[in-house]
Amino acid sequence: MPTQQSPAPLHDIIESAVDLARICLRMDVAFISEFKNGLRIFRHIAADGELPVQPGHADPLSESYCQHIIDGSIPSIVDDSHIYPILKRLDCTEAMRIRAHLGVPIRLSDGSVFGTFCCYSRRPSASLREVDVEGMARFARLIADMLEQRVLSERAREEASLRLSEVIARRALAIAYQPIVALADGAILGYEALSRFPAAADKGPAQWFDDAHRVDKGSELELLAIELALGSLAQLPPSAYLSLNVSPRTILDGSLAMRLGAAPLDRLVLEVTEHAPVEEYAAIAASLDGLRRGGLRLAIDDAGSGYASFRHILQLRPDIIKLDQSLIRQVDLDPGRRALAAALTMFARDTGCDVVAEGVETDAELGVLRGLGIKAGQGYLFGRPALQN
């Protein structure tokens, strides 16, 4: 039975399309350029012989044929560059030996210009026709379809990186504190520090942190949030602890111990907030060992929301297990939720952990949680997150 071949990489498909267009139009060079930050960047190049430039080469967009194509200051077909003063004085005309030229814009589905698809000959040509422009335009639309997902993903990443860099540089992060209370009498045991970002209707705090980790700014953002939260520790009741959110990646980054070094560790709880499996448990435990011996307590957040949280509990041996709000919501009405909450509470009791129920919103939920022996809770029933004055 013949083995199934893997499809060709996108890069190779585009290279083939570029070279095919060059051959069909009897041109010496064809290329795809991308416009970025005022530059024309050569992405894919095909040539009859030696390449005039290498992929990745960049030059000023304003000094290129590509810009004039987008502006409409030259036609799509240039029979001979030497009869266009605007082109004859461009350095690239002589450096790349451009005489006949044909180019069309590459537009993405949102109408934005990615760059151009161009080809040229080192000799003048009188054979190019409008049908050739239409053929290049078809190639450009095909290439745009192939590039779109990658380009839009890269643009979203760049925009997220710029947005987060501005937030971090301006320290434009507010910290809200939500009380954690004793379920028996409502006495405040501690507060969880929750980040609040500049207004963005389509993004909650979790998405901001997800974006930050995606663009390698997650640890920087988390450490800023921790620093700002610690700044208000003196304003909290002396008997209350402060719970800080942190991801395994930030723990392993190595800067956490320094950021917490001057803080009263016996008043701090570190909540591990990771929903994906983690492999470096031994390294995480080692990174936290000194802090835990100094009095820091460790909590696993969102227990009951997925398999990863159970692994965290078993591997990191926390001091506190926080039951996820999806487990607590309507626990008074759902026997399944109630049974799982009871099992986790029993597990915590047997392993010496405390339990905090998150997302408590009704007196009925509170009654069930008390009946299960859960001692502490957090949720709108006890208080919403609030900024410190």
Side-chain angles (χ1 to χ4, degrees), residues 59-137:
D59 51 22
L61 178 59
S62 60
E63 298 297 315
S64 71
Y65 283 50
C66 300
Q67 181 65 71
H68 292 301
I69 289 170
I70 300 300
D71 291 346
S73 52
I74 63 171
S76 293
I77 296 174
V78 173
D79 294 328
D80 187 351
S81 62
H82 286 192
I83 66 174
Y84 290 84
I86 195 173
L87 297 179
K88 192 172 181 181
R89 64 171 174 258
L90 292 177
D91 291 341
C92 62
T93 298
E94 184 64 29
M96 299 176 70
R97 297 167 54 201
I98 302 172
R99 293 296 293 270
H101 184 278
L102 192 160
V104 295
I106 300 174
R107 297 184 185 276
L108 303 179
S109 61
D110 62 0
S112 63
V113 176
F114 168 79
T116 55
F117 186 19
C118 300
C119 57
Y120 69 86
S121 173
R122 300 185 181 97
R123 299 166 302 282
S125 173
S127 64
L128 295 172
R129 299 287 183 268
E130 284 301 318
V131 67
D132 298 320
V133 177
E134 178 57 30
M136 285 285 282

